[in-house]
Amino acid sequence: MAWENHTLSSNFILLGIFDHSPTHIFLFSLVLGIFTVAFMGNTIMVLLIYLDTQLHTPMYLLLSQLSLMDLMLICTTVPKMTFNYLSGKKSISLAGCGTQIFLYVSLLGSECFLLAAMAYDRYVAICHPLRYSVLMSHKICCLVTVSSWVVGSFDGIIVITVALSFPYCGSREIPHFFCDVPALLTLSCTNTLLFERLMFICCVIMLLFPVAVIIASYVHVIMAVIRMGSGEGRRKAFATCSSHLMVVGMYYGAAMFIYMRPVSDRSPTQDKMVSAFYTILTPMLNPLIYSLRNKEVARAFMKVLGRGKSGE
């Protein structure tokens, strides 16, 4: 009953990230522009890979899942933030808050393991090209993809179950633009130290284990590339690896900064800036860095455009 009185009696208030000053209006417009590019870029990637049978390979299947995760991630936070900013209403229900927490925690966890799978795919393709069809078969690729979604969802269930079991009293104001667990914990009436330690352990598993797989994969890839006799092959391999490592560095660096620090060391302003980076900016950069500059993707895009023109 006390839990109901404290937690269910009223909505939470999202303080947001922008006010209505000219500078913040410009920044809000910039965020909407980034959201539009991210939404369109990731949607195009998912549709192209689905429609073009020549892209039905393990690498592009993983890329399509990355785009789908990014699409869902950016739609989890930005539409609600936009509605609150334009309407002047800052409230979010407990159910809405719980939905946001579950979705972004699940998606972040799934993407961590998917990026590790993508690194392994590049390792097999470059270091063991003759065995690629065996080591990265369609069945194995589907198994890895499904496992990424399942592990991420399991992490989301654990976090949302524990986070919403705490009583929240006093201030209902969350110093963030979406329901982020570390920001929500600051409103709890009880000691959340045990849960913070649980989150840290989850982060070690969800972040550091995939990072170890990625580092090991790319160490072998780089060594194989250096031994390549063809200058063109070396250039292509380095270009692919550098783009992948750029995304990995941005994504994992921001996630570790947010989730592997104690609540006492947090700054709301810093958390909001870094969260905006990996929940808004990274989903826009992923299709640009990974896919849209890829020749096969460009060919598929022109092919689909050609179909559209011939059908008119």
Side-chain angles (χ1 to χ4, degrees):
M1 189 66 182
W3 187 87
E4 292 180 358
N5 290 336
H6 283 146
T7 308
L8 300 179
S9 58
S10 64
N11 296 335
F12 291 107
I13 304 297
L14 294 173
L15 295 182
I17 193 172
F18 301 121
D19 56 35
H20 291 279
S21 65
T23 301
H24 280 215
I25 291 174
F26 168 76
L27 291 174
F28 173 72
S29 302
L30 184 63
V31 167
L32 285 187
I34 292 172
F35 171 78
T36 303
V37 173
F39 185 87
M40 292 180 62
N42 286 296
T43 301
I44 289 171
M45 279 304 308
V46 172
L47 291 176
L48 282 180
I49 294 171
Y50 174 76
L51 293 172
D52 194 321
T53 55
Q54 293 185 29
L55 296 182
H56 291 180
T57 63
M59 183 180 78
Y60 289 107
L61 174 61
L62 294 174
L63 283 174
S64 71
Q65 295 304 298
L66 179 68
S67 291
L68 180 60
M69 289 176 185
D70 282 337
L71 186 62
M72 293 175 65
L73 181 62
I74 200 169
C75 288
T76 299
T77 57
V78 177
K80 177 61 177 175
M81 181 194 73
T82 303
F83 174 80
N84 286 1
Y85 183 78
L86 295 177
S87 67
K89 299 177 180 178
K90 297 184 177 182
S91 65
I92 183 169
S93 66
L94 179 68
C97 190
T99 300
Q100 276 196 336
I101 291 173
F102 172 75
L103 286 175
Y104 84 76
V105 170
S106 299
L107 291 167
L108 290 177
S110 298
E111 196 159 326
C112 285
F113 281 89
L114 189 72
L115 288 172
M118 293 172 71
Y120 171 75
D121 173 75
R122 291 301 83 206
Y123 158 72
V124 175
I126 294 174
C127 298
H128 303 283
L130 299 180
R131 300 176 61 197
Y132 182 80
S133 60
V134 176
L135 296 176
M136 202 61 187
S137 65
H138 186 74
K139 182 179 179 180
I140 292 175
C141 183
C142 290
L143 180 63
V144 168
T145 302
V146 171
S147 297
S148 297
W149 283 99
V150 170
V151 171
S153 299
F154 184 67
D155 185 42
I157 291 171
I158 292 175
V159 171
I160 186 60
T161 301
V162 179
L164 294 188
S165 69
F166 291 117
Y168 295 98
C169 53
S171 174
R172 316 289 296 180
E173 296 180 345
I174 300 175
H176 219 300
F177 62 92
F178 67 98
C179 278
D180 191 24
V181 174
L184 186 63
L185 291 181
T186 62
L187 307 182
S188 177
C189 307
T190 58
N191 190 336
T192 60
L193 182 60
L194 184 61
F195 180 52
E196 290 177 45
R197 289 175 179 170
L198 173 64
M199 281 190 62
F200 182 84
I201 294 171
C202 285
C203 286
V204 169
I205 297 171
M206 304 297 290
L207 293 174
L208 297 188
F209 175 72
V211 165
V213 173
I214 290 168
I215 291 174
S217 297
Y218 280 114
V219 165
H220 285 88
V221 166
I222 291 171
M223 291 174 64
V225 168
I226 292 174
R227 292 195 296 265
M228 280 184 179
S230 168
E232 179 66 17
R234 190 183 297 116
R235 186 192 64 78
K236 286 183 178 179
F238 266 125
T240 301
C241 293
S242 62
S243 63
H244 290 195
L245 288 172
M246 189 185 306
V247 171
V248 167
M250 292 187 302
Y251 184 83
Y252 283 97
M256 288 178 184
F257 180 83
I258 290 292
Y259 294 106
M260 298 192 74
R261 292 181 302 146
V263 172
S264 57
D265 293 342
R266 297 181 182 279
S267 162
T269 302
Q270 282 184 345
D271 283 0
K272 284 190 282 189
M273 292 299 107
V274 177
S275 294
F277 180 81
Y278 76 81
T279 60
I280 300 175
L281 186 61
T282 303
M284 180 198 74
L285 294 176
N286 279 351
L288 299 177
I289 293 174
Y290 267 116
S291 310
L292 295 183
R293 67 190 186 94
N294 183 291
K295 289 183 180 180
E296 288 298 312
V297 175
R299 177 201 56 76
F301 184 66
M302 297 307 296
K303 182 179 177 181
V304 171
L305 281 182
R307 282 183 194 170
K309 289 180 181 179
S310 63
E312 291 178 357

